[in-house]
Amino acid sequence: MASNPASSQSSGAAESTLSTTIRRSLGAPLQVQTYKNLLYLALAFPLGLVYFVGLVFGVALGVGLLITWIGLPILLVTLFAATAVAGLEAVLARYLGGVTASVPTFLAEFDISGGLVFPGNGFVDAVKRLVTARTTWTSVVLVLAKFGFGLLSFVALSVSGAVTGAFLAAPFIYDDPDVLLGVGGVVVDGEYTVGPWVVDTFPEALVAAVVGVVFLFVALNLLNSLARFHAQYTAKLLQVDDEGNRPPVSSPCS
């Protein structure tokens, strides 16, 4: 009976994809992109905190002063700052996250000589472009979401680093009476514990180290996925296909 060519091609493609996925997962510690992703995640929390505080402060101050003439300019400056921050995030997504991301439309068209700094000579048109561009408002969403993602990244990096380090360090410090360390369990004086498991012999410490190596591979792949998700989310929010014909900036990592 003759085999179905289409079925054979589909099966071959699936096997190739699976093989590529396994190879990428096992090679995570050796890939440059992994360490770019870790840097991307490490920067997320401090940047997200600064973005969030700045945006909330700008909006609160602008709204509070709306009864005076200065409130509206403050809100416009805050909106422009959020757009500029989104432009920075697009750069980070390209160079650290390894995805194709475009800067917000307003930044791509920004020209100081067009009269943005002082009223007149196109100032009103510049403000209209800022306020009406879809990516201006998705930039605000991105800035707000960055704080939540940064907090998640901080927790993920801290937990994975602490747990992996505790397992990998077992052969070196399991018998040190001055070490008080427990992972997921009660810390007992002079004992190295992992949950209910007390590591007090060298073979047990070696087993713990092997578990640490396995956890390291799992953690790196999960962290890679987290960084990739945020970079793709950033690119999706800032895509400009429906706002102009400017082609997206190509990623240097692709």
Side-chain angles (χ1 to χ4, degrees):
M1 181 173 60
S3 61
N4 188 333
S7 176
S8 299
Q9 292 178 358
S10 176
S11 175
E15 292 178 359
S16 176
T17 301
L18 179 61
S19 175
T20 301
T21 301
I22 293 175
R23 187 166 58 251
R24 184 185 299 116
S25 298
L26 294 178
L30 303 177
Q31 295 170 0
V32 174
Q33 185 58 47
T34 295
Y35 300 97
K36 288 184 177 181
N37 288 339
L38 292 178
L39 178 59
Y40 189 44
L41 294 176
L43 291 173
F45 181 67
L47 289 178
L49 183 61
V50 172
Y51 297 165
F52 183 79
V53 171
L55 181 64
V56 170
F57 176 78
V59 171
L61 184 63
V63 171
L65 294 176
L66 271 180
I67 57 175
T68 68
W69 66 270
I70 200 172
L72 185 58
I74 290 176
L75 289 176
L76 290 175
V77 169
T78 302
L79 195 58
F80 175 72
T83 307
V85 162
L88 172 61
E89 285 299 311
V91 173
L92 292 177
R94 289 202 304 272
Y95 287 94
L96 296 182
V99 303
T100 299
S102 301
V103 299
T105 305
F106 182 79
L107 290 184
E109 300 172 350
F110 179 73
D111 183 8
I112 293 181
S113 64
L116 181 63
V117 178
F118 299 103
N121 297 324
F123 176 80
V124 174
D125 289 338
V127 171
K128 285 182 179 179
R129 290 199 305 272
L130 174 66
V131 175
T132 59
R134 181 187 62 83
T135 48
T136 296
W137 301 103
T138 56
S139 295
V140 175
V141 174
L142 178 61
V143 169
L144 292 174
K146 185 71 175 185
F147 177 71
F149 175 77
L151 186 59
L152 176 62
S153 299
F154 177 78
V155 172
L157 286 172
S158 300
V159 172
S160 59
V163 174
T164 302
F167 278 112
L168 292 178
F172 306 99
I173 60 176
Y174 76 96
D175 58 349
D176 188 340
D178 296 326
V179 172
L180 303 178
L181 179 61
V183 180
V186 178
V187 177
V188 181
D189 289 350
E191 292 185 340
Y192 193 103
T193 65
V194 180
W197 177 24
V198 177
V199 181
D200 54 6
T201 65
F202 186 66
E204 289 179 335
L206 287 180
V207 172
V210 171
V211 173
V213 171
V214 173
F215 190 85
L216 173 64
F217 279 86
V218 173
L220 286 179
N221 281 283
L222 290 176
L223 292 172
N224 278 338
S225 297
L226 181 62
R228 191 178 306 115
F229 169 79
H230 184 61
Q232 292 173 347
Y233 173 76
T234 298
K236 184 67 175 178
L237 280 178
L238 299 180
Q239 67 181 7
V240 294
D241 294 345
D242 59 343
E243 291 189 307
N245 297 321
R246 182 173 58 86
V249 180
S250 299
S251 166
C253 304
S254 59

